[in-house]
């Protein structure tokens, strides 16, 4: 099996983390993880203790991300991209036929820092991807308002938050609309 990004280099068996088996590339440091292997690993390794350690190392994680579509090194089919979380632009690649995941250099560390190390398959759920897109469009809307409102944005955002948490929210909104 060759590396899906470097193409010519052969993948070699590695331990991605805490005995998590993977096929790694020595050049780009990417790794192919079998979801089956991941599940077995997860059952054997209590993640609570790992996450405690990972949280300490959390913070700014350096990672790379392949922009173009990848070919699965096992079946030569096209892999699908899934954004990891709303907090990052990084996407990971899944072959739905082989259930193999390709992680670029640093993406496992990124997944851990986002506390998703024990929830890897969740990234491929429709509901998770939908939530990410929703958060993304909300962020875009907010950015648009910031540009339109300039210096007034902070003040109106403060008032908006105050209204939203107010027990008489409905009446406050009626009052604002009453002109
Ligand atoms: Zn490579
Ligand atoms: Zn495949």
């Amino acid at each position: 099996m060759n590396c899906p990004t470097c193409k010519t280099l052969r993948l070699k068996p590695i331990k991605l983390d805490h005995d998590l088996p993977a096929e790694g590339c020595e050049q780009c440091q990417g790794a192919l993880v079998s979801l089956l292997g991941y599940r077995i690993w997860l059952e054997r390794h209590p993640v609570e203790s790992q996450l405690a350690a990972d949280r300490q190392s959390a913070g700014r994680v350096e990672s790379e991300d392949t922009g173009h579509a990848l070919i699965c090194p096992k079946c030569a089919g096209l892999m699908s991209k899934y954004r990891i979380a709303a907090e990052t632009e990084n996407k990971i690649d899944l072959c739905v036929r082989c259930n193999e995941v390709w992680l670029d250099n640093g993406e496992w560390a990124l997944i851990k820092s986002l506390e998703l190390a024990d929830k890897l398959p969740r990234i491929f759920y429709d509901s998770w991807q939908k939530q990410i897109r929703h958060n993304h469009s909300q962020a875009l809307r907010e950015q648009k308002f910031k540009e339109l409102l300039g210096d007034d944005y902070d003040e109106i955002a403060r008032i908006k938050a105050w209204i939203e948490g107010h027990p008489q929210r409905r009446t406050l909104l009626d009052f604002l609309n009453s002109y």
Side-chain angles (χ1 to χ4, degrees):
M1 268 197 307
N2 286 351
C3 170
T5 44
C6 304
K7 306 242 168 56
T8 52
L9 266 117
R10 284 190 82 79
L11 296 173
K12 290 180 181 161
I14 55 155
K15 300 288 184 215
L16 189 58
D17 191 359
H18 302 285
D19 278 340
L20 174 59
E23 298 281 326
C25 174
E26 281 174 351
Q27 185 165 291
C28 67
Q29 305 294 317
L32 189 72
V33 182
S34 135
L35 280 181
L36 182 66
Y38 167 82
R39 279 197 193 97
I40 294 167
W41 168 79
L42 198 60
E43 277 168 23
R44 287 187 188 154
H45 293 74
V47 160
E48 290 78 22
S49 58
Q50 282 174 39
L51 288 181
D54 295 340
R55 243 176 247 126
Q56 287 169 11
S57 64
R60 191 85 196 102
V61 174
E62 291 291 328
S63 62
E64 289 161 28
D65 190 29
T66 319
H68 59 272
L70 296 182
I71 300 295
C72 171
K74 265 197 171 167
C75 72
L78 207 60
M79 299 181 90
S80 312
K81 290 193 179 294
Y82 294 82
R83 190 163 158 184
I84 297 170
E87 296 92 326
T88 172
E89 294 287 327
N90 281 61
K91 295 187 177 89
I92 55 176
D93 298 82
L94 169 75
C95 175
V96 291
R97 288 162 295 272
C98 306
N99 273 325
E100 298 273 345
V101 184
W102 178 257
L103 302 170
D104 290 311
N105 184 22
E107 283 182 333
W108 178 248
L110 180 67
I111 286 167
K112 287 202 297 181
S113 78
L114 294 165
E115 298 186 15
L116 292 169
D118 59 340
K119 306 176 190 74
L120 185 60
R122 184 184 292 184
I123 295 171
F124 310 118
Y125 292 176
D126 278 351
S127 53
W128 183 259
Q129 291 300 315
K130 236 183 199 162
Q131 186 62 43
I132 292 173
R133 285 195 294 274
H134 174 76
N135 290 356
H136 180 68
S137 53
Q138 237 177 2
L140 284 180
R141 252 201 314 274
E142 198 174 309
Q143 189 54 41
K144 189 82 216 155
F145 277 120
K146 270 185 187 167
E147 282 165 25
L148 286 170
L149 295 166
D151 291 344
D152 291 329
Y153 179 82
D154 285 346
E155 180 63 3
I156 196 68
R158 190 186 63 76
I159 294 168
K160 186 173 187 282
W162 174 73
I163 291 173
E164 275 165 6
H166 201 284
Q168 284 185 290
R169 178 176 176 274
R170 203 55 272 159
T171 313
L172 294 176
L173 288 174
D174 286 347
F175 176 71
L176 284 176
N177 285 321
S178 65
Y179 296 98

